[in-house]
Amino acid sequence: MRRIISLAIVAAVVATSCSYQTKDFDQLFAGFNEDSLLTAQTSRVWDRNGTLITELRGEQNRTDVDITQVPELVQHAVVAIEDERFYDHSGVDLKAILRAARSNVSAGGIAQGGSTITQQYVGNVFLDRSDQTGSRKIEEIFMARRFEQRYSKDFILGKYLNWVYFGNGAYGVEAAAREYFGPPSCERATSIDQPDDRDCLKVTELTVVQAALIAGLIQAPSSFNPYRNYSSALERRDLVLGRMYANEYITEEEYEEALTEPIELVEDVPLLEQRYSAAYFVEDVKQWFLDNPAFGPTRQARTQLLFEGGLDIHTTVDLDLQADAEAAIATILRDDGVNPDAAAVVIGTTPADDGQILAMVGGRDFFGDSEDAKFNFASGSGRQAGSSMKPIGLATALELGIPITRVYPAPMNIEIEEPSICGPTWKVRGGLRAPAVDPATVTEDTPEVIPQATLVRATRSSLNVVFAQLMVDITPRRYIDMAERLGIGEGRLQEVCAAILGTENVNMVEMATVYSTFARGGVRVDPIMVTRITNSDGTSLFESVPNPVTVLSRTIDNQLTWALTNVINFGTGTRAQIDRPAAGKTGTAQNNADAAFVGFTTQRATAVWVGHPEGQIPMTGLYHGGPVQGGTFPAEIWREIMLAAHEGLPAEDFPAPPPSSTTTTLPPLPDSVEVPDLIGRVVDEALLLELEEKSLLLATAEIETNEFVPGTIVNQAPAPFDLIPGGATITVEVAVLPPEPPPEIVPPVIGLTESEAKQVLTGLAFAVDTVFDLDPTASETPPVPGLVWTQSPVSGASIPAGSIITIWVNPIP
């Protein structure tokens, strides 16, 4: 009797649905249109070439797609298993309801829902999901019928496919396709710049077996999760294939072939464990967005838009150059627990990329376990940049009319007594050695010989004593004003004289911005990380517009650039020489606790910092036994990054400086100079200064060897004591340690005979140590003689080639 009554009630409800008045559904739906039914969507971050970097998502991983973009085989798979009469009913399937009602009566509760696709959607979007009462079911039925009167089948199915949960955090069919089968092939292309990157979809690439798998997940995503319940997922997939065949969506041949295919998935990586390239850069992009009131009145609103707005964020970073920059640092500063860390920023200065950050390395590993792993040393609070701050003072002086050829005293040490400008006595070290004087010729009347240097020479040789005097002439206030005009953040520098020597903290984005201003002939363009952002519907949300500002005249900038080319060509930055004209400046903090190299060509500006993340720890003895300075690790890293950054770009010359700035700068070169003996010495600033005083240049080449102390000169040409003309170059070979051989994977040899195991291991360049001992765990008594029963290291371990592997062998009687 209960069964008959239940069936009668259901039939009556459906039959009289047009007059059901418990809710004013027309009024309810009137407030909803297609826009108001939008769901939270995943945003995506792209590199400059259209390569996907990562996705930004809130609680739901979702990417909405239009129903016209969903292949019919995917639509058919879902309809076949969830609502096979979807195209025939008007929102409610009476047969399904009656079938569910019979099941529920037998079960004494709600065992089956019998809900159509339309019912599932409206019941979860408009009604209380936790309400499982009969009245709620009746409301769902009436709402489904009204919904179908308002909207087309395609609209309803499209909304459903974007809303429904497929497990593993994936909402909607596109997110499910990516979650289980990886990104679409178009995202792996090298150059995509589509008007709407949402046309690059994984769902369009799904095969019939893949479509059947994700369709089968809808009923119970956890129970049919293919990562955790493979057999259940396979059985469910095959059931979907069967319904597709029964409904004539696939042929018998397609059905039989599909049944033979296994489930193939991408690796299941939890969201919090997912790694991606340019992570420091992406983090800065997120913070830039969240701090920008143009994207919402509150930070909460901006957060929701960023993580749920389905945005396409097109950035300036080049993932290929990013990889090259990371590789340069990893190669030069091996992660051995002793070497310092590094940060680097590359900014473009050509019309195609002007002001755009092309690469950013904020540290060794954003996803590492150290406490400071996520701190960005490229753009954070920064560290001391040392003498790479001196060109700001030089620019200030030139703008004030101080000629670049002005001569200053340059003793080894100086004390500046200018309390109104620099406070108490300022003691500065770092000048030139006085020329040697024959003691026999010295009398009481012999004047003290004090070395002198022009601003050009002081820049090339990084003479602190000269720039300290220059700071007195230009004043700290003018220096700071120039620094901020060139690109240092407002309020970042204290008004102290020592700022010109790089004692204030700055970051590499700021330094690259300053030097990119030099590269443009004195025009500053603020750094750009994002070129454009589009909404989920393809409309524009943001587009960057560079705002160039002239800071220096072309004449002043040309003089400054020429002085900085001398640093790389003849001065403290020779290790930064590349295959084209370049200018730059070394920087070393007090006690060698920080080191930097910043430089530029006409097309790129790059800043590199090296130091210990924990704080200002002296880096003595770390560069081939010598101290780390701006002309060592930083210059070498800069060189490798800039070589990669200029790949495919033609070499360009800098504009020539005015003749007045160069003709009186350098003294006449001597006719002949005796070559000094450099064997066994270290290439450092002291050596470079010594050669400069002899009017000689130095070129270095590294030679890999274990026979000499790393960093020492092992050979030179011309030979010691030869006579060569002034201005000639001495080429030296500097010893460096050979790179460590790549690791080898230890193969399994358990169960082999001793000779077989040795043949396998020695074939991979491993040494073998054999221990004859009985296997205490063997089931046979005695154990099989002559067989390897254990090994150390275990198979699969990664160890250097040539390592010793010990094998234990059952003795042969």
Side-chain angles (χ1 to χ4, degrees):
M1 178 62 68
R2 288 177 59 195
R3 178 179 303 177
I4 295 173
I5 293 173
S6 298
L7 296 177
I9 290 174
V10 170
V13 165
V14 174
T16 61
S17 62
C18 292
S19 62
Y20 185 69
Q21 297 296 324
T22 62
K23 288 196 177 196
D24 189 346
F25 295 111
D26 289 336
Q27 183 177 358
L28 178 64
F29 290 141
F32 289 88
N33 52 35
E34 294 191 15
D35 291 335
S36 62
L37 293 176
L38 294 175
T39 51
Q41 297 188 57
T42 299
S43 296
R44 301 183 203 165
V45 182
W46 307 83
D47 91 330
R48 67 183 303 103
N49 299 314
T51 301
L52 181 67
I53 302 175
T54 188
E55 296 181 337
L56 307 178
R57 64 186 70 160
E59 296 181 358
Q60 298 182 0
N61 172 20
R62 188 195 314 271
T63 299
D64 282 1
V65 294
D66 191 270
I67 187 63
T68 59
Q69 297 173 301
V70 181
E72 285 191 349
L73 68 88
V74 178
Q75 299 181 40
H76 292 160
V78 173
V79 168
I81 195 63
E82 287 296 315
D83 186 4
E84 61 185 359
R85 283 181 289 277
F86 173 72
Y87 292 105
D88 300 324
H89 61 63
S90 299
V92 180
D93 187 346
L94 182 58
K95 292 182 179 179
I97 291 178
L98 294 176
R99 182 180 66 249
R102 287 194 296 269
S103 176
N104 294 341
V105 169
S106 300
I110 298 177
Q112 291 185 18
S115 296
T116 63
I117 283 175
T118 312
Q119 286 177 261
Q120 291 180 50
Y121 181 72
V122 299
N124 283 278
V125 172
F126 297 104
L127 299 177
D128 183 0
R129 301 183 187 184
S130 64
D131 185 359
Q132 296 295 315
T133 63
S135 61
R136 190 264 193 194
K137 191 69 176 178
I138 293 174
E139 288 180 344
E140 177 188 290
I141 291 172
F142 281 97
M143 185 172 286
R145 289 177 62 83
R146 285 283 197 272
F147 204 69
E148 291 227 358
Q149 291 170 3
R150 281 183 169 271
Y151 300 108
S152 69
K153 290 287 186 180
D154 279 350
F155 176 82
I156 294 169
L157 182 58
K159 288 296 179 184
Y160 177 82
L161 290 176
N162 284 324
W163 159 80
V164 71
Y165 183 56
F166 290 91
N168 249 39
Y171 290 81
V173 67
E174 173 63 15
R178 290 169 176 266
E179 180 67 24
Y180 294 107
F181 307 115
S185 57
C186 50
E187 280 184 8
R188 295 187 288 270
T190 56
S191 57
I192 304 171
D193 190 15
Q194 304 180 30
D196 182 2
D197 294 297
R198 297 278 164 170
D199 292 336
C200 181
L201 301 171
K202 181 62 178 181
V203 69
T204 62
E205 300 176 353
L206 294 184
T207 65
V208 65
V209 292
Q210 292 173 333
L213 175 71
I214 63 173
L217 296 172
I218 296 174
Q219 184 186 78
S222 179
S223 299
F224 299 130
N225 187 313
Y227 290 112
R228 297 165 183 79
N229 303 304
Y230 181 89
S231 59
S232 297
L234 183 63
E235 183 178 347
R236 179 70 175 173
R237 183 205 70 177
D238 292 349
L239 174 62
V240 176
L241 291 170
R243 298 312 306 158
M244 293 179 72
Y245 172 55
N247 285 276
E248 299 182 350
Y249 291 140
I250 57 176
T251 65
E252 181 178 4
E253 181 181 359
E254 290 173 325
Y255 170 64
E256 295 294 341
E257 182 180 353
L259 290 178
T260 64
E261 295 191 28
I263 295 176
E264 296 181 349
L265 308 167
V266 295
E267 183 182 2
D268 182 23
V269 180
L271 178 61
L272 295 179
E273 298 179 15
Q274 292 178 3
R275 300 173 68 95
Y276 50 87
S277 299
Y280 292 101
F281 175 84
V282 171
E283 194 65 21
D284 275 11
V285 168
K286 290 192 288 186
Q287 293 306 314
W288 165 83
F289 187 98
L290 295 175
D291 292 339
N292 194 333
F295 301 128
T298 65
R299 190 173 181 87
Q300 181 179 359
R302 297 191 289 270
T303 300
Q304 184 174 3
L305 178 60
L306 178 62
F307 291 96
E308 298 180 2
L311 306 178
D312 279 305
I313 303 171
H314 298 267
T315 72
T316 60
V317 73
D318 183 330
L319 288 187
D320 292 333
L321 179 57
Q322 178 73 26
D324 290 333
E326 293 174 359
I329 292 173
T331 301
I332 293 171
L333 290 175
R334 289 181 293 183
D335 187 8
D336 57 4
V338 176
N339 275 332
D341 207 339
V345 172
V346 182
I347 291 181
T349 58
T350 70
D353 51 37
D354 204 7
Q356 297 181 11
I357 296 178
L358 305 179
M360 174 189 287
V361 184
R364 197 175 294 280
D365 183 9
F366 180 86
F367 301 101
D369 298 327
S370 64
E371 293 182 359
D372 48 46
K374 288 181 170 52
F375 185 84
N376 191 340
F377 286 94
S379 65
S381 58
R383 296 280 283 269
Q384 294 184 13
S387 295
S388 60
M389 297 289 285
K390 289 175 180 174
I392 298 174
L394 183 57
T396 310
L398 293 173
E399 188 174 68
L400 290 172
I402 298 174
I404 201 168
T405 55
R406 174 172 287 187
V407 176
Y408 284 88
M412 290 298 293
N413 303 286
I414 195 171
E415 292 185 1
I416 294 179
E417 302 283 354
E418 291 288 348
S420 64
I421 299 176
C422 297
T425 302
W426 183 23
K427 298 180 179 180
V428 183
R429 295 180 301 171
L432 298 174
R433 288 190 298 271
V437 178
D438 185 354
T441 65
V442 176
T443 68
E444 292 182 359
D445 298 327
T446 302
E448 180 184 1
V449 179
I450 299 177
Q452 295 184 327
T454 64
L455 288 175
V456 176
R457 170 69 185 277
T459 302
R460 182 170 73 248
S461 303
S462 201
L463 303 180
N464 289 344
V465 296
V466 171
F467 278 90
Q469 296 170 80
L470 180 66
M471 187 59 137
V472 174
D473 290 344
I474 64 176
T475 75
R477 181 64 263 163
R478 291 194 182 99
Y479 175 87
I480 291 173
D481 177 66
M482 176 60 74
E484 293 176 353
R485 288 164 55 198
L486 288 170
I488 302 297
E490 186 176 350
R492 293 272 283 151
L493 305 181
Q494 295 186 61
E495 196 170 324
V496 295
C497 283
I500 199 171
L501 304 182
T503 59
E504 300 294 297
N505 286 354
V506 291
N507 63 47
M508 293 302 101
V509 172
E510 293 173 313
M511 294 303 293
T513 302
V514 169
Y515 280 64
S516 72
T517 303
F518 300 153
R520 295 186 199 92
V523 178
R524 189 191 79 237
V525 175
D526 290 336
I528 299 169
M529 294 187 293
V530 175
T531 54
R532 60 188 174 96
I533 302 176
T534 56
N535 293 302
S536 60
D537 60 1
T539 58
S540 176
L541 176 64
F542 167 83
E543 189 160 349
S544 69
V545 179
N547 183 28
V549 177
T550 299
V551 179
L552 301 173
S553 71
R554 173 68 72 171
T555 299
I556 289 175
D557 191 80
N558 288 350
Q559 292 181 67
L560 187 147
T561 296
W562 173 75
L564 294 178
T565 61
N566 288 333
V567 175
I568 291 180
N569 293 337
F570 316 119
T572 57
T574 55
R575 290 187 181 88
Q577 292 174 0
I578 53 177
D579 57 353
R580 64 192 63 218
K585 185 70 187 75
T586 56
T588 307
Q590 191 171 9
N591 299 322
N592 303 92
D594 293 294
F597 190 91
V598 192
F600 60 95
T601 65
T602 60
Q603 298 145 316
R604 299 283 184 264
T606 296
V608 176
W609 165 85
V610 171
H612 289 287
E614 302 86 350
Q616 286 194 301
I617 302 172
M619 295 181 289
T620 54
L622 297 183
Y623 184 76
H624 306 307
V628 176
Q629 299 170 324
T632 60
F633 286 140
E636 291 179 359
I637 293 171
W638 186 91
R639 178 182 185 276
E640 295 304 314
I641 292 176
M642 287 292 269
L643 286 173
H646 286 84
E647 187 173 346
L649 295 178
E652 294 182 357
D653 290 323
F654 291 117
S660 60
S661 65
T662 60
T663 54
T664 60
T665 297
L666 298 176
L669 296 174
D671 293 333
S672 64
V673 180
E674 184 178 84
V675 176
D677 185 0
L678 305 181
I679 305 299
R681 296 185 61 179
V682 175
V683 179
D684 54 16
E685 292 188 10
L687 176 61
L688 294 173
L689 284 173
E690 178 184 329
L691 293 177
E692 184 176 358
E693 291 170 0
K694 295 178 179 292
S695 300
L696 296 175
L697 305 179
L698 184 72
T700 62
E702 294 182 343
I703 180 171
E704 296 176 357
T705 177
N706 289 312
E707 298 180 6
F708 300 91
V709 176
T712 57
I713 296 172
V714 301
N715 198 6
Q716 71 175 85
F721 314 117
D722 283 356
L723 293 178
I724 58 177
T729 299
I730 301 175
T731 301
V732 298
E733 292 183 339
V734 180
V736 295
L737 290 174
E740 294 182 359
E744 293 283 355
I745 304 299
V746 176
V749 294
I750 295 175
L752 302 180
T753 65
E754 179 191 7
S755 60
E756 291 171 337
K758 286 185 174 180
Q759 184 177 5
V760 170
L761 296 173
T762 56
L764 296 174
F766 291 120
V768 182
D769 180 28
T770 303
V771 177
F772 291 98
D773 196 6
L774 288 174
D775 181 1
T777 64
S779 57
E780 299 91 349
T781 305
V784 179
L787 294 185
V788 178
W789 55 272
T790 191
Q791 66 182 84
S792 179
V794 297
S795 63
S798 179
I799 61 176
S803 299
I804 299 175
I805 296 179
T806 303
I807 58 175
W808 281 260
V809 179
N810 290 318
I812 300 175

Coordinates of all heavy atoms in Angstrom, one line a residue, residues 595-634:
A595 N 77.9 41.2 -2.2 CA 78.6 41.6 -3.4 C 77.6 41.7 -4.6 O 76.6 41.0 -4.6 CB 79.6 40.5 -3.8
A596 N 77.8 42.6 -5.5 CA 76.9 42.8 -6.6 C 77.6 43.2 -7.9 O 78.8 43.7 -7.8 CB 75.9 43.9 -6.2
F597 N 77.0 42.9 -9.0 CA 77.4 43.4 -10.3 C 76.1 43.8 -11.0 O 75.2 43.0 -11.2 CB 78.2 42.4 -11.1 CG 78.8 43.1 -12.3 CD1 80.1 43.6 -12.2 CD2 78.1 43.2 -13.5 CE1 80.7 44.2 -13.3 CE2 78.7 43.8 -14.6 CZ 80.0 44.3 -14.5
V598 N 76.2 45.1 -11.5 CA 75.0 45.6 -12.3 C 75.6 46.2 -13.6 O 76.6 46.9 -13.5 CB 74.3 46.7 -11.5 CG1 72.9 47.0 -12.1 CG2 74.1 46.3 -10.0
G599 N 74.9 45.9 -14.7 CA 75.4 46.3 -15.9 C 74.4 46.3 -17.0 O 73.2 45.8 -16.8
F600 N 74.7 46.8 -18.2 CA 73.8 46.9 -19.3 C 74.4 46.9 -20.6 O 75.6 47.2 -20.8 CB 72.9 48.2 -19.1 CG 73.7 49.5 -19.1 CD1 73.9 50.2 -20.2 CD2 74.4 49.9 -17.9 CE1 74.6 51.4 -20.2 CE2 75.1 51.1 -17.9 CZ 75.3 51.8 -19.1
T601 N 73.6 46.6 -21.6 CA 73.9 46.9 -23.0 C 72.8 47.9 -23.5 O 72.0 48.4 -22.7 CB 73.9 45.7 -23.9 OG1 72.6 45.1 -23.9 CG2 74.9 44.6 -23.3
T602 N 72.7 48.1 -24.8 CA 71.6 49.0 -25.3 C 70.3 48.2 -25.2 O 69.2 48.8 -25.4 CB 71.9 49.4 -26.7 OG1 72.0 48.3 -27.6 CG2 73.1 50.3 -26.8
Q603 N 70.4 46.9 -25.0 CA 69.1 46.1 -25.1 C 68.7 45.4 -23.8 O 67.5 45.0 -23.7 CB 69.4 44.9 -26.2 CG 69.7 45.5 -27.5 CD 70.7 44.6 -28.3 OE1 71.7 44.2 -27.7 NE2 70.4 44.4 -29.5
R604 N 69.6 45.3 -22.8 CA 69.2 44.6 -21.6 C 70.0 45.2 -20.4 O 71.1 45.7 -20.6 CB 69.6 43.1 -21.7 CG 68.9 42.3 -22.8 CD 67.5 42.0 -22.3 NE 66.8 41.1 -23.3 CZ 66.1 41.5 -24.3 NH1 65.9 42.9 -24.4 NH2 65.5 40.7 -25.1
A605 N 69.4 45.2 -19.3 CA 70.0 45.6 -18.0 C 69.8 44.5 -17.0 O 68.7 44.0 -16.8 CB 69.5 46.9 -17.5
T606 N 70.9 44.1 -16.3 CA 70.8 43.0 -15.4 C 71.5 43.4 -14.1 O 72.6 44.0 -14.1 CB 71.4 41.7 -16.0 OG1 70.7 41.3 -17.1 CG2 71.5 40.6 -15.0
A607 N 70.9 43.0 -13.0 CA 71.5 43.2 -11.7 C 71.6 41.9 -11.0 O 70.7 41.1 -11.0 CB 70.7 44.2 -10.9
V608 N 72.8 41.7 -10.3 CA 73.1 40.4 -9.6 C 73.6 40.7 -8.2 O 74.5 41.5 -8.1 CB 74.1 39.5 -10.4 CG1 74.4 38.3 -9.6 CG2 73.6 39.2 -11.8
W609 N 73.0 40.0 -7.3 CA 73.5 40.1 -5.9 C 73.9 38.7 -5.4 O 73.3 37.7 -5.7 CB 72.4 40.6 -5.0 CG 72.6 40.4 -3.5 CD1 73.4 41.2 -2.7 CD2 72.2 39.3 -2.7 NE1 73.4 40.7 -1.4 CE2 72.7 39.5 -1.4 CE3 71.4 38.2 -2.9 CZ2 72.4 38.7 -0.3 CZ3 71.2 37.3 -1.9 CH2 71.7 37.5 -0.6
V610 N 75.0 38.7 -4.6 CA 75.4 37.4 -4.0 C 75.7 37.7 -2.5 O 76.3 38.7 -2.1 CB 76.7 36.9 -4.7 CG1 77.3 35.8 -3.9 CG2 76.5 36.5 -6.1
G611 N 75.2 36.8 -1.7 CA 75.3 36.9 -0.2 C 74.7 35.8 0.5 O 74.0 34.9 -0.1
H612 N 74.8 35.8 1.8 CA 74.2 34.7 2.6 C 72.8 35.2 3.0 O 72.6 36.3 3.5 CB 75.0 34.4 3.8 CG 76.3 33.7 3.6 ND1 76.3 32.4 3.2 CD2 77.6 34.1 3.6 CE1 77.5 32.0 3.0 NE2 78.3 33.0 3.2
P613 N 71.7 34.4 2.8 CA 70.4 34.8 3.2 C 70.2 35.1 4.6 O 69.4 36.0 5.0 CB 69.5 33.6 2.7 CG 70.3 32.9 1.7 CD 71.8 33.1 2.1
E614 N 71.0 34.4 5.5 CA 70.8 34.6 6.9 C 71.2 36.0 7.4 O 70.7 36.4 8.5 CB 71.7 33.6 7.7 CG 71.3 32.1 7.3 CD 72.1 31.6 6.1 OE1 72.7 32.5 5.4 OE2 72.1 30.4 5.9
G615 N 72.0 36.7 6.7 CA 72.5 38.0 7.1 C 73.8 38.3 6.5 O 74.3 37.6 5.6
Q616 N 74.4 39.4 6.9 CA 75.7 39.9 6.3 C 76.8 39.1 7.0 O 77.5 39.6 7.9 CB 75.8 41.4 6.6 CG 74.9 42.2 5.6 CD 75.3 43.6 5.6 OE1 75.3 44.3 6.6 NE2 75.7 44.2 4.4
I617 N 77.1 38.0 6.4 CA 78.2 37.1 6.8 C 79.3 37.2 5.9 O 79.2 37.1 4.7 CB 77.7 35.6 6.9 CG1 76.5 35.5 7.8 CG2 78.8 34.7 7.3 CD1 75.8 34.1 7.7
P618 N 80.5 37.6 6.4 CA 81.7 37.8 5.5 C 81.9 36.6 4.6 O 81.9 35.4 5.0 CB 82.8 38.0 6.4 CG 82.2 38.6 7.7 CD 80.9 37.9 7.8
M619 N 82.1 36.8 3.3 CA 82.3 35.8 2.3 C 83.8 35.7 2.0 O 84.2 35.9 0.9 CB 81.5 36.0 1.1 CG 80.0 36.0 1.3 SD 79.0 36.2 -0.2 CE 79.3 38.0 -0.5
T620 N 84.6 35.4 3.0 CA 86.0 35.3 2.8 C 86.4 33.8 2.5 O 85.9 32.9 3.1 CB 86.8 35.7 4.1 OG1 86.3 35.0 5.2 CG2 86.5 37.2 4.3
G621 N 87.3 33.7 1.6 CA 87.8 32.4 1.2 C 86.9 31.5 0.4 O 87.1 30.4 0.1
L622 N 85.8 32.1 -0.1 CA 84.8 31.3 -0.9 C 85.0 31.4 -2.4 O 84.4 30.6 -3.1 CB 83.4 31.8 -0.5 CG 82.9 31.6 0.9 CD1 81.5 32.1 1.1 CD2 83.1 30.2 1.4
Y623 N 85.7 32.4 -2.9 CA 86.0 32.4 -4.3 C 87.4 31.9 -4.6 O 88.4 32.6 -4.6 CB 85.9 33.9 -4.8 CG 86.0 34.0 -6.3 CD1 85.0 33.6 -7.2 CD2 87.2 34.4 -6.9 CE1 85.1 33.6 -8.5 CE2 87.3 34.5 -8.3 CZ 86.3 34.1 -9.1 OH 86.4 34.1 -10.5
H624 N 87.4 30.6 -4.9 CA 88.7 29.9 -5.2 C 89.7 30.2 -4.1 O 90.9 30.5 -4.4 CB 89.2 30.3 -6.5 CG 88.2 30.1 -7.6 ND1 87.6 28.9 -7.8 CD2 87.7 30.9 -8.6 CE1 86.8 29.0 -8.9 NE2 86.8 30.2 -9.4
G625 N 89.3 30.3 -2.9 CA 90.2 30.6 -1.8 C 90.3 32.0 -1.4 O 90.9 32.4 -0.4
G626 N 89.8 32.9 -2.3 CA 89.8 34.4 -2.0 C 88.5 34.9 -1.6 O 87.5 34.1 -1.6
P627 N 88.4 36.2 -1.3 CA 87.1 36.7 -0.9 C 86.1 36.9 -2.1 O 86.6 37.1 -3.2 CB 87.5 38.1 -0.3 CG 88.7 38.5 -1.0 CD 89.5 37.2 -1.3
V628 N 84.8 36.9 -1.8 CA 83.8 37.2 -2.8 C 83.7 38.7 -3.0 O 83.5 39.4 -2.0 CB 82.5 36.6 -2.5 CG1 81.4 37.0 -3.5 CG2 82.6 35.0 -2.4
Q629 N 83.9 39.2 -4.2 CA 83.8 40.6 -4.5 C 82.8 40.7 -5.7 O 82.5 39.8 -6.3 CB 85.1 41.2 -4.8 CG 86.1 41.2 -3.6 CD 87.5 41.6 -4.0 OE1 88.0 41.3 -5.1 NE2 88.2 42.2 -3.1
G630 N 82.5 42.0 -6.0 CA 81.6 42.2 -7.1 C 82.1 41.7 -8.4 O 81.3 41.3 -9.3
G631 N 83.4 41.7 -8.6 CA 84.0 41.3 -9.8 C 84.3 39.8 -9.9 O 84.9 39.3 -10.8
T632 N 83.8 39.0 -8.9 CA 84.0 37.6 -8.9 C 82.7 36.8 -9.2 O 82.3 36.9 -10.4 CB 84.5 37.1 -7.5 OG1 83.6 37.4 -6.5 CG2 85.9 37.8 -7.2
F633 N 82.1 36.2 -8.3 CA 80.8 35.4 -8.6 C 79.8 36.3 -9.2 O 79.2 35.9 -10.2 CB 80.2 34.8 -7.3 CG 81.0 33.6 -6.8 CD1 81.2 33.5 -5.4 CD2 81.5 32.7 -7.6 CE1 81.9 32.4 -4.9 CE2 82.1 31.5 -7.2 CZ 82.3 31.4 -5.8
P634 N 79.5 37.5 -8.7 CA 78.4 38.3 -9.3 C 78.7 38.6 -10.8 O 77.8 38.5 -11.7 CB 78.4 39.6 -8.5 CG 78.9 39.2 -7.2 CD 80.0 38.2 -7.5

